[in-house]
Amino acid sequence: MSRAGIAQLRRLTLRYCEHGGSSRGARAFINSRLPALQSEFPNIEFEVKAVNAKHPTIFADFDGPPSARNPWQVSVRNHSLDEVEQRVRLLRAQNGDQQKRLSRRIARVRRSVQGVWSPLLPKPVLAASAPPRRPLKPFRSRAGIDAPLRFETGVFVLPEEDEDTVTPTNELKVNVDHPVW
């Protein structure tokens, strides 16, 4: 895999045993498919090490900061020829980052008390079930008279205005059936 267009895998080292039975697939991979992979991926350095009395292992070295340059180890013990090639291609597709644990669970066991949110839910309505804690500021009417708003059960009442000014209603009604969100 690449990061910013640069392939992260630099070197693949295949360690195997020349006589062990668990290295049979690795030996077949080296003899038949490794030359084709070397020509297919010229930017990756392939290294083969014969170490007796050890199980076959693939070591992958990636680019990155020095703290993250620990090589990945993939055991290919008792793998077939195709499985070894699949592991090599899988390592080539990685970017070298260590797997990170998620900080939170994704699936929740308990459902929310408020229910499932949907964008189709109605918008909340402002409810006035109690008078405000602090006194209301004076209301400046069109006639220029300063008068405070009065609170009655569920209704803010505006002060009376002159009969010359036309207003649709002098009461602001607030629905108290719905809770405040």
Side-chain angles (χ1 to χ4, degrees), residues 78-150:
N78 295 325
H79 282 51
S80 68
L81 169 70
D82 295 330
E83 291 171 338
V84 174
E85 183 178 7
Q86 182 182 6
R87 295 290 182 183
V88 169
R89 290 188 182 275
L90 178 71
L91 286 171
R92 183 193 163 273
Q94 299 297 318
N95 62 3
D97 290 339
Q98 298 295 323
Q99 293 181 352
K100 296 176 184 146
R101 180 173 282 214
L102 296 174
S103 60
R104 299 179 3 167
R105 294 184 315 182
I106 300 297
R108 300 285 180 185
V109 175
R110 288 187 227 122
R111 296 185 56 118
S112 172
V113 176
Q114 299 173 349
V116 179
W117 182 83
S118 169
L120 302 175
L121 289 174
K123 292 187 177 182
V125 178
L126 176 65
S129 57
R133 293 184 203 162
R134 56 190 156 104
L136 296 172
K137 293 181 180 178
F139 172 76
R140 181 169 297 278
S141 66
R142 292 188 184 136
I145 302 169
D146 291 336
L149 291 172
R150 280 192 343 260

